[in-house]
Amino acid sequence: MTEQQYRWQRPVRSGCVLAVTLVLAGCSTPTARQSAEPGPWRPLDVPTLVSDEALLSPAPASPPSDDELTPPLPSATAARTVRPDVLVGAIHVQVPRVARPRVEGVWSHVREDLVDADTALRLRRNGLRVGLGRTEWWDAIQAALDSVPGVRSSEIPAVRLPPGYPLALELDREPHEQTLFYVGEDLVLSGESWPESRNVLRLSYSLERLRSSRVRVAVVPEVRQAQRGWKWLHTDAGLARLPDFGGRSFAAAAVTADLGDGDFLVIAPSEDAELYGLVGGAFLTQQEDGERFDSYVFIRAGVNHDARRY
């Protein structure tokens, strides 16, 4: 697969303003595109990478020469260690809660066996429902969304990320006080109150093998409070500076999926999301202007094979 645009077919009718085109092209900085109605869905953690060599080397006292500006040819050994170029993007669709039965048809075109039965039960108890879709199934999914008036959306176009780098997709417009509950593997319901907090989906990926075309994507719900400072994360591309937030992640509601070419992950609220404060409902439903909306999150990750050098 060469570097190209992935298009999830035609857009939803203009009345819904649903951004269904997810471009996996060279993007150095992610930006959010959305309809006029919902607030922005912002990627909180934008990669700021600093190589190990740059951290250890002093700044030059004078401008570099032309020779210094010319990158050296990579050695055969270095070329073999270059990792595939992976691009990640997401679409956040908000559907009026009253229309949930009308969009049930979405799940007829999504495989829900991407996780085992125990994991599916754990996620459902925490208010989440997940599935694996294919781009060739998008027309049918889109038709189900087309049938509902008032659908809203936001998009994060594809961004290049190093393996293990966390990209936080913000779900709240502003901080608020909330009490969150989750069901652990021991089936114990636990909860805590979080004043002045925001909910995000922390997204990261890994590659099992350099030559693999499949990307293992992990999505973890995370509640965050005020930023406490900065921290450094060591990645294959060097050191990345990340904001250090107070809060916690909810491993019991985490989703992991292996995505190949043309695959996308779907995350939505389950029926249990109606329970007060349950993490799935708190993260994937929202009350606005007297109406409750369900969030359907579509995530795609792809390997740009042209960027792989061996």
Side-chain angles (χ1 to χ4, degrees):
M1 178 183 65
T2 59
E3 183 165 349
Q4 60 179 311
Q5 288 186 338
Y6 283 125
R7 296 194 180 277
W8 292 7
Q9 308 303 325
R10 55 181 171 76
V12 170
R13 66 176 186 275
S14 58
C16 293
V17 201
L18 180 59
V20 296
T21 301
L22 195 159
V23 181
L24 287 190
C27 299
S28 58
T29 303
T31 57
R33 186 170 72 234
Q34 69 223 33
S35 71
E37 295 185 12
W41 191 23
R42 297 182 293 136
L44 294 182
D45 301 332
V46 179
T48 304
L49 298 176
V50 181
S51 67
D52 297 341
E53 293 80 5
L55 287 175
L56 297 175
S57 303
S62 58
S65 64
D66 291 340
D67 291 339
E68 292 173 319
L69 291 174
T70 303
L73 294 175
S75 65
T77 302
R80 285 194 298 269
T81 61
V82 173
R83 286 194 174 266
D85 197 18
V86 175
L87 302 115
V88 180
I91 297 173
H92 179 200
V93 182
Q94 292 179 296
V95 179
R97 171 63 183 84
V98 295
R100 184 182 289 182
R102 295 178 59 179
V103 295
E104 184 65 22
V106 166
W107 300 101
S108 300
H109 306 284
V110 172
R111 286 179 47 199
E112 296 188 68
D113 61 351
L114 78 160
V115 296
D116 58 60
D118 290 340
T119 301
L121 180 59
R122 167 176 59 81
L123 293 173
R124 187 167 67 249
R125 285 171 172 160
N126 280 286
L128 286 85
R129 186 177 183 181
V130 301
L132 182 69
R134 294 282 304 171
T135 51
E136 55 263 32
W137 305 339
W138 180 254
D139 278 346
I141 294 174
Q142 187 175 6
L145 298 172
D146 256 343
S147 68
V148 179
V151 171
R152 313 189 305 181
S153 73
S154 300
E155 179 189 359
I156 293 180
V159 58
R160 285 187 174 91
L161 291 178
Y165 191 97
L167 181 66
L169 309 178
E170 187 175 42
L171 298 168
D172 294 321
R173 289 189 177 187
E174 57 187 20
H176 60 286
E177 183 172 358
Q178 57 184 332
T179 300
L180 299 175
F181 295 92
Y182 67 95
V183 180
E185 293 187 1
D186 55 3
L187 303 184
V188 174
L189 180 67
S190 304
E192 295 174 297
S193 293
W194 297 94
E196 293 299 308
S197 61
R198 294 176 182 265
N199 296 332
V200 305
L201 295 178
R202 176 165 52 82
L203 188 156
S204 61
Y205 77 88
S206 63
L207 291 166
E208 292 298 311
R209 300 180 306 278
L210 293 184
R211 295 181 182 272
S212 173
S213 62
R214 301 189 70 81
V215 180
R216 175 158 293 179
V217 174
V219 183
V220 185
E222 191 171 87
V223 60
R224 293 184 172 184
Q225 292 178 306
Q227 183 175 331
R228 300 179 299 196
W230 298 90
K231 60 183 179 181
W232 292 93
L233 175 69
H234 191 86
T235 74
D236 294 332
L239 287 179
R241 191 177 78 158
L242 294 172
D244 184 15
F245 294 96
R248 67 160 299 158
S249 58
F250 296 93
V255 181
T256 301
D258 291 333
L259 303 182
D261 294 342
D263 292 338
F264 57 87
L265 175 65
V266 185
I267 304 176
S270 70
E271 292 183 358
D272 290 337
E274 299 300 314
L275 300 177
Y276 172 78
L278 195 62
V279 60
F283 281 67
L284 297 175
T285 67
Q286 191 171 25
Q287 185 83 18
E288 289 189 11
D289 301 325
E291 187 173 15
R292 181 160 291 278
F293 290 85
D294 288 344
S295 289
Y296 289 73
V297 180
F298 300 88
I299 296 172
R300 190 164 183 182
V303 176
N304 176 14
H305 293 264
D306 280 356
R308 299 165 66 172
R309 300 190 295 275
Y310 296 98

